[in-house]
Amino acid sequence: LHVDLDRAEALTATADWLADRLDDLTAKARSLRATANVLYFKRDYEQAAATYERSVAAYAEAGAELDDVLEQR
């Protein structure tokens, strides 16, 4: 498995910027989840867990049920 983590990190930063610009909580939650995945693959587990928790909170704020979020995997 080859993953370009630098490119993935740049893409998640762009997604995060766009979600903020659109003021879209669901998009923000998704960008945070993607960022958490990149951090996990970079072995920054503590920051990945914290970012994932921010993603879960954003999904909840957007009104998404956890079951719906898990089905998106």
Side-chain angles (χ1 to χ4, degrees):
L1 175 68
H2 173 74
V3 178
D4 185 342
L5 292 176
D6 292 331
R7 184 167 183 214
E9 192 169 35
L11 289 171
T12 62
T14 301
D16 191 55
W17 173 84
L18 186 57
D20 288 341
R21 178 102 171 153
L22 295 173
D23 195 27
D24 184 324
L25 283 174
T26 302
K28 181 69 172 182
R30 287 180 177 165
S31 72
L32 287 168
R33 189 176 69 182
T35 300
N37 289 339
V38 170
L39 290 166
Y40 177 84
F41 279 106
K42 292 180 94 174
R43 299 181 182 193
D44 188 349
Y45 303 120
E46 188 173 316
Q47 191 64 32
T51 304
Y52 180 75
E53 289 300 321
R54 289 178 51 215
S55 172
V56 170
Y59 274 116
E61 189 176 344
E65 295 293 324
L66 185 57
D67 291 339
D68 296 334
V69 173
L70 293 175
E71 285 179 11
Q72 295 177 10
R73 296 166 106 201

